[in-house]
Amino acid sequence: IDNNDIHAGDDCIALGGNPFDTRLMQQPEGLRDVTVIGNQVRSEQGYGLKIYALADEPSDGVSDVIVHGLTGRTGISRNGGMYFKDYTNSGKLRRLNVSGVSLEAGGLMPAHDGVNPYGILAEGVGEELTLRDVTVRYPAGFTNPIDAAVVRENVRLLEAVA
């Protein structure tokens, strides 16, 4: 996914599986070896980058992802900047490398679940999530804050490199 201008009503770049997708279920190792470089994103209600696993199937995993040069404004009315979540808490997200990101996130109101939008949410990441040179900030002139970085239980390794 290289050098695109993505305007979306929901998540701009979403990498993950749907347990009802018969094509995905035929892939024994899930989604892997994905590169996302130089993209501009804008989303009213979704995340700029969302990487997730929904089901405890061998094919429902995401691994070996490189994201670099993601810029824009996301989660304007709900959600936020970046989201990494394994709903199964079984290590389905592995080796995610994110760098060179500059996003404005949130702005108008609390997220649809009643909490502030997230700058970065990481939950249930399996093997490795590396964030390097990442900036997620609240847009100037808005009054509803974002929760800058939320790391919930079951994150086995989260490495933030300055």
Side-chain angles (χ1 to χ4, degrees):
I1 304 172
D2 184 14
N3 199 28
N4 296 289
D5 189 3
I6 301 169
H7 288 217
D10 207 338
D11 303 315
C12 289
I13 298 172
L15 305 175
N18 181 332
F20 304 107
D21 185 337
T22 56
R23 290 175 298 164
L24 180 65
M25 296 304 280
Q26 295 171 7
Q27 302 297 320
E29 298 177 1
L31 183 61
R32 58 183 243 175
D33 297 324
V34 178
T35 304
V36 179
I37 297 178
N39 292 281
Q40 171 77 26
V41 294
R42 181 176 171 85
S43 174
E44 177 66 34
Q45 297 182 3
Y47 291 94
L49 176 65
K50 182 175 183 177
I51 300 177
Y52 64 99
L54 289 175
D56 197 14
E57 298 287 335
S59 62
D60 189 40
V62 181
S63 65
D64 303 302
V65 175
I66 296 171
V67 177
H68 182 75
L70 186 68
T71 61
R73 180 150 182 235
T74 61
I76 296 166
S77 64
R78 66 178 172 98
N79 288 330
M82 294 189 299
Y83 181 92
F84 309 94
K85 185 170 181 177
D86 177 356
Y87 288 85
T88 69
N89 289 318
S90 61
K92 296 288 184 181
L93 302 182
R94 299 180 311 277
R95 296 178 299 282
L96 310 176
N97 188 329
V98 179
S99 65
V101 172
S102 180
L103 295 174
E104 288 187 337
L108 298 179
M109 62 187 74
H112 56 83
D113 59 3
V115 299
N116 292 333
Y118 298 113
I120 302 168
L121 172 68
E123 182 174 359
V125 176
E127 193 173 306
E128 179 181 340
L129 168 61
T130 301
L131 304 174
R132 181 177 291 111
D133 188 25
V134 170
T135 301
V136 180
R137 65 184 158 278
Y138 192 71
F142 288 92
T143 57
N144 190 51
I146 61 171
D147 291 333
V150 176
V151 179
R152 293 188 177 161
E153 66 278 355
N154 299 320
V155 174
R156 293 185 187 88
L157 172 63
L158 176 68
E159 176 188 0
V161 181

